[in-house]
Amino acid sequence: KAKISGKNTYRIFDNDMKKNNERTFIIQNDLRDAIKNNEFVLYYQPRIRTEDLKIIGVEALIRWVHPKLGLISPGEFISIAEDSGLIGNIGEWVLETACKQLAAWSKMGCKDLTMSVNFSALQFLQVNLQETVKTIINKCNVDPQKLEIEITESAVIDQDVGLQENINKLKEIGFQIAIDDFGTGYSSLAYIKKFQVNTIKIDQSFLINIIEDKSNEIIVSAVIKLAQALGLNVVAEGVETSDQFHKLKEMDCKEVQGFFFSKPLPKEEVEKNFLM
Ligand code: C2E
Ligand code: MG
Ligand code: MG
Ligand code: MG
């Protein structure tokens, strides 16, 4: 009996693998033309001020609307883009699209809104990053002070030579720098100093059970205090419940982001629900 079920299990696994391989193959294959075919879209997740629940900014999050596979999340294709050398072009598309949107919202009267954009660590290793980025912000006519580049901590690890130089160059242009998923990578504290970041985004994993789990509560509270003592902004990511929000408010966390306020939305819905 055990043998039969073992065999069945194996066969199911095998089919799943085949399906996954097919999907990965399609993704790898079609990614190259996705920009040209206009298949990427940015969603925007509001960043909310705890004090008065006002929107202070948005984070741009890429989605791929594939003609056959439908909506594909960045978790599934960003690493493929990195491996296949396409992340540079995709990153430029993201930055330019986000800058154009920021300019449009500024024109609409939302002049204080900030735009956060995720950068892959590989983008920081691009040789002409500074020129490329300057060209984009000039073309879109946006104030770099209103733009924040989010770097995922775990991505930083082995490559900090070119990275530090390029972060400095972006800071010279006027960009804000945020450490994303804070607390999940290595040497987090060293990065704060080394890269002179402006913002710490506390990883959502620390908010799980923040009400019952004393150690998570202590960690989050300590990070908030640390950030404040260093004069940095701190954002709690992945706030899903009213309890979490109130706990964070109690801890004096000034900015929050998460499904409790809004999931990432297409631009029209951001306008309708938050900007008008
Ligand atoms: P991230 O930058 O840490 O973004 C937060 C992720 O958590 C987003 O997933 C967002 O939809 C999700 N999220 C937000 N609030 C909640 C919540 O309350 N609960 C839960 N469970 N999840 C929440 P998404 O959009 O799938 O993006 C995943 C990751 O992909 C991002 O993590 C970021 O590292 C990367 N990414 C997204 N867009 C880009 C991009 O344009 N360029 C690059 N290089 N990476 C990107
Ligand atoms: Mg992010
Ligand atoms: Mg994050
Ligand atoms: Mg993340």
Side-chain angles (χ1 to χ4, degrees), residues 44 58 95-113 115 137 139-143 146-147 267-268 270-271 275-276:
Y44 302 92
V58 294
L95 184 64
E96 184 165 338
T97 307
C99 284
K100 282 181 186 155
Q101 190 57 67
L102 184 66
W105 282 336
S106 174
K107 239 183 176 168
M108 260 176 57
C110 305
K111 302 223 183 306
D112 295 328
L113 209 66
M115 176 70 73
I137 55 170
K139 181 171 157 192
C140 302
N141 199 20
V142 289
D143 175 5
K146 295 275 170 264
L147 282 152
K267 63 168 195 280
E268 299 82 8
V270 175
E271 289 169 7
L275 303 180
M276 302 206 259

Side-chain angles (χ1 to χ4, degrees), residues 46-110:
R47 178 153 144 189
I48 304 289
R49 187 163 55 204
T50 314
E51 192 190 6
D52 55 6
L53 298 181
K54 289 258 158 65
I55 186 171
I56 45 179
V58 294
E59 176 176 2
L61 293 155
I62 193 170
R63 272 94 184 91
W64 180 9
V65 188
H66 189 278
K68 283 191 227 85
L69 302 175
L71 205 68
I72 307 178
S73 71
E76 204 174 346
F77 67 84
I78 288 292
S79 63
I80 296 175
E82 289 174 340
D83 292 342
S84 52
L86 297 169
I87 194 65
N89 287 337
I90 294 175
E92 280 173 37
W93 179 88
V94 170
L95 184 64
E96 184 165 338
T97 307
C99 284
K100 282 181 186 155
Q101 190 57 67
L102 184 66
W105 282 336
S106 174
K107 239 183 176 168
M108 260 176 57
C110 305

Side-chain angles (χ1 to χ4, degrees), residues 45 47 59 61 74-75 78 117-121 148-157 177-189 191-192 197 199-207 219-220 223 234-238 257:
Q45 186 177 40
R47 178 153 144 189
E59 176 176 2
L61 293 155
I78 288 292
V117 176
N118 294 283
F119 264 35
S120 153
E148 186 171 73
I149 305 299
E150 297 191 2
I151 316 163
T152 305
E153 212 191 336
S154 54
V156 177
I157 300 167
I177 305 290
I179 294 262
D180 206 348
D181 303 343
F182 183 79
T184 59
Y186 303 99
S187 323
S188 336
L189 297 175
Y191 293 140
I192 296 178
V197 304
T199 302
I200 292 174
K201 300 191 80 172
I202 303 176
D203 190 69
Q204 57 188 64
S205 60
F206 295 106
L207 299 195
I219 291 169
V220 171
V223 171
V234 60
V235 187
E237 292 196 279
Q257 209 180 310

Side-chain angles (χ1 to χ4, degrees), residues 115-151:
M115 176 70 73
S116 300
V117 176
N118 294 283
F119 264 35
S120 153
L122 288 181
Q123 287 177 261
F124 285 98
L125 303 179
Q126 272 178 273
V127 227
N128 295 321
L129 183 68
Q130 196 180 23
E131 289 71 27
T132 310
V133 161
K134 263 192 187 158
T135 308
I136 292 173
I137 55 170
N138 289 337
K139 181 171 157 192
C140 302
N141 199 20
V142 289
D143 175 5
Q145 301 279 356
K146 295 275 170 264
L147 282 152
E148 186 171 73
I149 305 299
E150 297 191 2
I151 316 163

Side-chain angles (χ1 to χ4, degrees), residues 6-76:
K7 210 174 166 191
N8 284 340
T9 309
Y10 179 75
R11 205 176 299 139
I12 291 163
F13 178 62
D14 202 40
N15 280 338
D16 273 1
M17 280 217 339
K18 204 166 148 209
K19 234 178 29 210
N20 277 337
N21 283 341
E22 267 166 31
R23 189 176 163 92
T24 308
F25 181 79
I26 297 175
I27 289 177
Q28 280 168 341
N29 204 55
D30 293 354
L31 199 53
R32 196 161 295 278
D33 291 325
I35 293 184
K36 195 183 73 200
N37 295 343
N38 221 357
E39 289 166 3
F40 289 127
V41 59
L42 290 185
Y43 276 35
Y44 302 92
Q45 186 177 40
R47 178 153 144 189
I48 304 289
R49 187 163 55 204
T50 314
E51 192 190 6
D52 55 6
L53 298 181
K54 289 258 158 65
I55 186 171
I56 45 179
V58 294
E59 176 176 2
L61 293 155
I62 193 170
R63 272 94 184 91
W64 180 9
V65 188
H66 189 278
K68 283 191 227 85
L69 302 175
L71 205 68
I72 307 178
S73 71
E76 204 174 346

